Amino acid sequence: MSADGLIVVDKPGGMTSHDVVARIRRLARTRRVGHGGTLDPMATGVLVIGVGRATRLLTYVIGAGKSYTATIRLGQATVTDDAEGDVIATTPAGRLTDEAVRSALAALTGEIDQVPSAVSAIKINGQRAYKRVREGEDVALPARRVTISRLEVLAIRRAAPDVVDVDVEVTCSTGTYIRAIARDAGLALGVGGHLTALRRTAVGGFHLAEAATLDELERRAPDVVDLPLAVAAQRFFPRRDASAEEAKVLSHGGPLEAVGRTGPYAVFDPAGGLIAIVSERAGRARAEIVLAPA
């Protein structure tokens, strides 16, 4: 069975995130596998997978900022806001100037209220929004506040007379829908828009350059974990070293003295083993999750 830790996977197109988890369960020979942030089947790139006790770190991975490269097609709107859905409207976009395209995208940066795509995994009264849409329901999701800290236009291409393809790089907060950016840019320009390509290049501090393909992991199985638990925690969190006595207290769920750090951090025992992820409040450092072996 594989060790506890994280795997940075380069997800191929055509697979759901759950499909990748199922494959890793087989390769790692354990059921205790999860992922740190869904990628649509069309999308490729960084999908962080947790194995064993490291699945408990995934809540932090899910909340991390993310980066993408994407292609937006202006002139066509689809039911899913991406290339997987049927085209529901076409408006010739050839008249759009590069300046207008750049201006529409610039208006979608910073802190914005974004309405997620109706065909999404968001739950409404316990049922996924995409399932309601497929059953014929008209779904309207509330806007949510997201931060798009970088939206850079790499190229504007006009391979066909009635559409404009825009290659972009995006860095954003968790919860941001890149296909909603395509939709909203198209709406602002009056021509409709959808996403034709999406590749996630980073999640937090985990980057595409270190990602392994499923074929590579298949050849290594069952030794598929790239970042053992302690290494993964040190990559993602600030580090605090505990004394032997502090390690004993914390491993049993007891608090430590605060050291004046904000936000969660990882506490290690004298041998370098990960004990817990800790946050400070009311003058004490208390475990959010204890990861030391029982």
Side-chain angles (χ1 to χ4, degrees):
M1 191 173 71
S2 190
D4 300 327
L6 297 182
I7 312 166
V8 184
V9 176
D10 184 352
K11 187 189 91 65
M15 294 183 75
T16 67
S17 298
H18 183 72
D19 290 337
V20 176
V21 167
R23 179 80 69 87
I24 299 299
R25 281 176 176 155
R26 178 176 63 79
L27 297 179
R29 300 177 187 171
T30 177
R31 295 289 302 166
R32 199 173 176 190
V33 177
H35 68 77
T38 301
L39 274 177
D40 292 333
M42 184 189 86
T44 67
V46 174
L47 183 67
V48 180
I49 300 289
V51 177
R53 285 180 292 141
T55 55
R56 301 189 68 196
L57 296 178
L58 293 175
T59 185
Y60 302 100
V61 174
I62 289 169
K66 298 171 178 68
S67 296
Y68 301 86
T69 58
T71 299
I72 297 167
R73 172 157 289 183
L74 299 170
Q76 296 174 340
T78 72
V79 68
T80 57
D81 301 326
D82 64 18
E84 295 193 311
D86 294 334
V87 174
I88 55 175
T90 59
T91 305
R95 62 178 175 77
L96 293 176
T97 65
D98 288 6
E99 182 182 2
V101 171
R102 292 178 184 276
S103 179
L105 289 168
L108 297 173
T109 60
E111 274 197 27
I112 64 169
D113 291 319
Q114 184 187 71
V115 177
S117 173
V119 183
S120 69
I122 294 172
K123 286 187 175 181
I124 306 170
N125 297 327
Q127 190 175 37
R128 301 289 185 186
Y130 65 76
K131 192 171 188 298
R132 288 175 175 267
V133 171
R134 288 169 184 166
E135 291 172 352
E137 187 175 335
D138 187 13
V139 172
L141 296 172
R144 54 171 65 179
R145 180 57 60 97
V146 299
T147 300
I148 300 171
S149 53
R150 179 170 174 263
L151 203 174
E152 181 178 347
V153 175
L154 302 179
I156 299 175
R157 298 179 284 110
R158 302 170 188 273
D162 290 338
V163 297
V164 177
D165 289 326
V166 188
D167 299 326
V168 297
E169 285 186 351
V170 182
T171 300
C172 55
S173 64
T174 188
T176 303
Y177 281 82
I178 308 302
R179 52 197 163 113
I181 296 175
R183 177 201 65 205
D184 293 344
L187 285 171
L189 291 163
V191 297
H194 71 281
L195 211 61
T196 61
L198 181 65
R199 186 156 175 77
R200 190 153 67 191
T201 56
V203 175
F206 304 113
H207 297 273
L208 194 57
E210 65 185 302
T213 65
L214 290 176
D215 286 344
E216 289 169 340
L217 295 172
E218 191 91 35
R219 291 192 290 270
R220 285 168 24 196
D223 298 320
V224 292
V225 167
D226 295 311
L227 299 165
L229 187 59
V231 175
Q234 192 162 317
R235 280 277 301 274
F236 207 76
F237 300 96
R239 175 179 179 131
R240 174 178 173 180
D241 290 301
S243 67
E245 182 58 32
E246 287 175 327
K248 183 178 179 181
V249 170
L250 188 59
S251 66
H252 289 91
L256 303 183
E257 290 294 327
V259 292
R261 292 186 179 179
T262 59
Y265 57 83
V267 180
F268 294 81
D269 64 27
L274 177 65
I275 309 167
I277 306 301
V278 163
S279 62
E280 297 185 0
R281 54 190 181 276
R284 308 292 277 173
R286 301 182 186 277
E288 294 185 359
I289 53 173
V290 175
L291 292 156

